[in-house]
Amino acid sequence: MITPRFSVRQDEKQVYVTIHAPHVRVQAIEFDVDEYQFKFFASPYYLRLTFSGKVVEDEASTASFNAASGDITVALSKQTPGEQFENLDMLTSLLATSRERDTGETNITKPIIEEIGGSISADDQIAILNDEDFEWELPQSLPVVGENELLVGKVKYGFNEQYSGLLAHVHSTANEINEVSDPEHLNSEERRIQRIATEDAKFDDAYYMDNYMNDDDEIRLSIQFKTEFYSLLRQLQKAKKRVVTEPGTNSLISQDVDTTEEVPLSEIIEFTDSEKKMMVDLPRRTHMISNRQAVYLGLVDILFSYSLDLRINQGEPTVESAWAIGAVSATFSNLEQFSTLDAVVAACFRRGLAYPLYRNWELCEKALEDIYVILKLGRRAVLKALLEIKSIFDKHDIYYIYSKLFIDDYCVWIQTLAGDKAIRSLAHKLHNFEIEKDDLGWNLDALEDLALESSVEDEECEEAGHNENTNIDEPDSLALDESNALADLSIVIQEGSPKADSSTCAGSSIGKRMVKIIGGDGASEIDQDSILPEKRDNSQELLDDTDTLDEYPGSSILENIVQSDQEPEAFKKEAQKKKGPLIEML
């Protein structure tokens, strides 16, 4: 059977279900209403929805079919008029069965499985489902090394550590996200040790210092960029701000009050048709979470890599976004499972300074701020971000596997089992969280100091060179003589060239010249200062340093030019005879 595309809305008295089921026979359509559940059947479509409140089929209930659009609209009456049904835009939650919903936060009855003699009692399990506060700084107990191998023969990874075998052939594919040498056999602790070593090797001191000193327009634009979640949060804050009359006066005062429950987030955060389709297509799974805190912390890691890529690309994902998100996320690249908030934030910053195009501390801080904004908006904003990540990975021929390992389950979990109170608590902790550069273990402060010192030295050198050039004061006659000497010394070995004698070279006051090798075995430019001594009192003194002259191509020809009164043609023939290069003094 096919699950049709649908949407649900409500007013004070009724719930409206719009079902897109084209090309069906109207006579074959069947409806069934049973308190919390509504069922629709018209071959080949089947839809079962479970609401948080009771609905009834009475005289006010209606159904209509639009043949042009293929939409069927059903209006169901609420048993209790005025009751607000929750999460009507969380489509995966509506598709869950009554038993699945009873394990979630909406209708808590009792846990499906009670662990006899375990560390968590039935009352504790219910308290967790009721969103008791987490101690984000306290580590949770991790599985004993080798425990999974003893139970099932191989390690587990992925969401809630429930998968194995999916990465058995990862090294035979072009998967550049995975950094685990043996995903099917390395346990979580071994993967963590390998991850830290890989990050240390990947971190580039020079790259970091360059981005620190040269935060050019692109990096600055990424830092200043605001995601769409900021505008959604602004709308929420405006909706939460209400005007009340001050007691005893006629004046109006504006007060900020926490009216989260009063503000319908579904009116602020709306899902597109493509997002609704993805929610409908999500797998139907019931999760028994073994380590809830690790699941929340993994969400922080994934949202950080997503936010960082969003900022770097100015809100427009690129063909490299799948790799960029996966490489920065330790959850994806190293199958990491975090136990404390300190550990996940440190890993986010380490990878954020080692892998992306822009590796800037302030940019990482902004990405962390983006996570706070998303979590502050609640589960709908988190789901919207997860669906965009899913869309990015699903389109990739290789990296789609990470949707199967993590994102699909996160999309189901955030709608059914994630608690609003736990998400708000996590957002509060992130908002007040402070990370120091020393926490990363890379001596970032020392690198920044070194970069600043180098910059100051470069500026001083440039300034000194500028002052030296501007302070040169030569007599006009000296400048004229030097100009004339330069003209006389422009010796080109070609037909019709003028003579050059030793007096011409000796009379030059040029402090520095370049000798250009023309032809011969090699063409290059050499500094005449390295050939000729600084003192140029006479030609004989110029030629005393024969050892230096012999070290360079064409030096013997230069000597002959200086010493002899022969015509240039003679030098040209001699150079061709010796297969030496011709030279030009510049």
Side-chain angles (χ1 to χ4, degrees):
M1 305 300 289
I2 300 174
T3 301
R5 189 169 74 245
F6 70 96
S7 62
V8 184
R9 58 186 177 86
Q10 65 179 327
D11 58 22
E12 292 295 320
K13 296 181 179 181
Q14 290 186 314
V15 175
Y16 302 92
V17 182
T18 302
I19 305 168
H20 183 68
H23 313 302
V24 297
R25 296 176 56 198
V26 177
Q27 297 82 355
I29 297 177
E30 298 180 11
F31 300 106
D32 181 57
V33 179
D34 183 15
E35 293 187 340
Y36 295 101
Q37 281 195 343
F38 162 74
K39 297 178 182 179
F40 160 81
F41 174 77
S43 181
Y45 300 103
Y46 175 76
L47 178 67
R48 181 191 62 242
L49 302 179
T50 305
F51 301 110
S52 60
K54 294 181 179 181
V55 292
V56 295
E57 186 178 5
D58 56 13
E59 296 179 354
S61 301
T62 61
S64 61
F65 177 66
N66 187 328
S69 62
D71 290 340
I72 302 170
T73 303
V74 181
L76 303 172
S77 299
K78 295 180 179 179
Q79 181 171 305
T80 306
E83 180 184 4
Q84 288 295 312
F85 287 12
E86 299 177 354
N87 302 325
L88 293 183
D89 57 340
M90 310 286 268
L91 303 187
T92 306
S93 176
L94 293 176
L95 292 172
T97 64
S98 299
R99 182 180 179 183
E100 292 170 346
R101 291 174 63 87
D102 286 343
T103 64
E105 64 175 28
T106 304
N107 297 313
I108 299 171
T109 55
K110 60 180 180 179
I112 295 178
I113 299 175
E114 179 178 352
E115 187 172 313
I116 304 299
S119 58
I120 300 179
S121 65
D123 293 338
D124 290 337
Q125 180 72 14
I126 294 177
I128 290 175
L129 293 175
N130 271 317
D131 286 334
E132 288 233 324
D133 291 336
F134 288 103
E135 292 293 339
W136 301 109
E137 292 83 1
L138 297 179
Q140 299 281 295
S141 59
L142 295 173
V144 178
V145 174
E147 179 179 334
N148 288 329
E149 292 88 334
L150 292 175
L151 293 176
V152 294
K154 57 179 64 176
V155 299
K156 297 281 190 176
Y157 46 77
F159 180 85
N160 196 35
E161 293 194 320
Q162 61 186 11
Y163 296 102
S164 63
L166 295 182
L167 296 177
H169 305 288
V170 66
H171 294 297
S172 62
T173 64
N175 188 329
E176 297 180 357
I177 291 178
N178 176 68
E179 293 180 346
V180 183
S181 59
D182 190 357
E184 300 299 331
H185 296 94
L186 292 182
N187 58 54
S188 58
E189 186 61 28
E190 292 170 332
R191 295 196 297 262
R192 181 174 297 109
I193 294 173
Q194 192 176 86
R195 171 181 66 82
I196 294 174
T198 304
E199 292 167 355
D200 290 337
K202 178 66 176 176
F203 180 70
D204 190 328
D205 296 357
Y207 201 125
Y208 176 78
M209 290 190 292
D210 178 73
N211 279 195
Y212 174 73
M213 295 303 301
N214 303 312
D215 53 346
D216 53 14
D217 294 340
E218 294 296 329
I219 297 179
R220 187 52 47 185
L221 286 174
S222 298
I223 293 174
Q224 296 172 351
F225 177 76
K226 298 291 184 183
T227 66
E228 64 170 331
F229 297 104
Y230 282 83
S231 61
L232 294 175
L233 181 60
R234 203 173 298 114
Q235 294 177 36
L236 176 62
Q237 291 171 341
K238 289 180 179 179
K240 289 170 62 177
K241 184 179 290 186
R242 61 186 180 184
V243 180
V244 298
T245 304
E246 186 178 4
T249 66
N250 294 324
S251 62
L252 296 179
I253 58 174
S254 178
Q255 294 182 346
D256 288 331
V257 292
D258 188 3
T259 58
T260 304
E261 301 301 330
E262 300 177 15
V263 178
L265 289 174
S266 58
E267 296 180 5
I268 297 176
I269 303 175
E270 298 180 353
F271 296 101
T272 64
D273 291 340
S274 60
E275 290 171 339
K276 291 177 181 178
K277 184 179 185 305
M278 281 193 287
M279 283 190 276
V280 172
D281 294 339
L282 286 171
R284 309 289 183 269
R285 291 172 182 166
T286 301
H287 296 102
M288 293 301 296
I289 306 299
S290 59
N291 189 339
R292 287 170 57 86
Q293 182 161 321
V295 173
Y296 282 104
L297 294 176
L299 179 65
V300 172
D301 176 67
I302 294 172
L303 291 179
F304 178 88
S305 59
Y306 162 73
S307 300
L308 193 60
D309 180 73
L310 208 60
R311 280 186 172 272
I312 291 176
N313 296 315
Q314 302 290 296
E316 296 292 336
T318 68
V319 293
E320 294 293 332
S321 290
W323 173 85
I325 294 173
V328 172
S329 170
T331 300
F332 288 168
S333 60
N334 290 270
L335 309 176
E336 183 67 85
Q337 186 178 36
F338 297 99
S339 57
T340 66
L341 188 60
D342 292 347
V344 66
V345 174
C348 288
F349 272 65
R350 281 172 62 91
R351 302 189 72 82
L353 296 177
Y355 289 87
L357 175 63
Y358 303 139
R359 305 173 189 180
N360 183 279
W361 179 270
E362 187 177 355
L363 184 59
C364 288
E365 289 182 324
K366 289 297 182 180
L368 193 66
E369 182 181 301
D370 294 342
I371 305 175
Y372 161 74
V373 172
I374 295 174
L375 295 178
K376 181 73 173 177
L377 286 168
R379 292 189 297 155
R380 286 172 178 79
V382 175
L383 177 59
K384 198 170 184 67
L386 289 172
L387 289 173
E388 184 170 3
I389 298 172
K390 173 177 168 59
S391 175
I392 292 172
F393 279 85
D394 283 351
K395 296 175 182 177
H396 200 281
D397 294 338
I398 298 173
Y399 301 146
Y400 73 91
I401 190 65
Y402 293 101
S403 284
K404 307 301 180 185
L405 287 173
F406 296 99
I407 303 302
D408 287 355
D409 291 293
Y410 263 111
C411 288
V412 174
W413 167 80
I414 199 67
Q415 297 181 72
T416 57
L417 292 176
D420 284 323
K421 188 175 180 181
I423 291 178
R424 289 196 300 270
S425 169
L426 185 55
H428 176 74
K429 297 297 291 187
L430 282 173
H431 187 56
N432 296 281
F433 190 88
E434 293 184 2
I435 182 172
E436 302 294 336
K437 294 178 180 179
D438 291 339
D439 296 339
L440 306 190
W442 287 336
N443 296 322
L444 298 182
D445 289 325
L447 293 176
E448 293 173 3
D449 292 341
L450 179 60
L452 290 173
E453 291 176 3
S454 300
S455 177
V456 171
E457 290 176 358
D458 292 342
E459 292 176 359
E460 290 176 351
C461 291
E462 292 178 2
E463 184 178 354
H466 176 73
N467 293 338
E468 182 178 351
N469 292 333
T470 57
N471 291 335
I472 295 177
D473 186 15
E474 294 182 318
D476 294 340
S477 59
L478 179 60
L480 181 60
D481 292 342
E482 187 166 338
S483 177
N484 295 334
L486 180 61
D488 293 339
L489 285 172
S490 181
I491 303 172
V492 181
I493 309 301
Q494 59 183 0
E495 293 293 338
S497 296
K499 292 183 179 181
D501 55 23
S502 59
S503 62
T504 303
C505 294
S508 172
S509 61
I510 301 296
K512 181 178 181 179
R513 298 183 185 83
M514 298 298 294
V515 177
K516 184 175 182 181
I517 309 301
I518 306 175
D521 295 334
S524 60
E525 292 186 2
I526 57 176
D527 191 344
Q528 188 185 350
D529 287 347
S530 63
I531 300 178
L532 305 180
E534 294 181 357
K535 297 181 180 180
R536 296 178 173 84
D537 294 338
N538 51 64
S539 59
Q540 186 60 38
E541 188 173 300
L542 176 70
L543 298 173
D544 284 341
D545 193 3
T546 55
D547 293 338
T548 304
L549 289 172
D550 292 337
E551 293 177 2
Y552 294 90
S555 56
S556 59
I557 297 178
L558 177 62
E559 179 181 352
N560 292 334
I561 291 175
V562 175
Q563 285 185 322
S564 176
D565 291 336
Q566 296 180 21
E567 292 291 337
E569 182 64 26
F571 292 119
K572 182 177 181 181
K573 292 180 179 179
E574 182 180 352
Q576 292 175 349
K577 181 179 180 181
K578 295 183 178 181
K579 297 183 179 180
L582 305 184
I583 63 172
E584 177 182 359
M585 189 173 298
L586 305 179

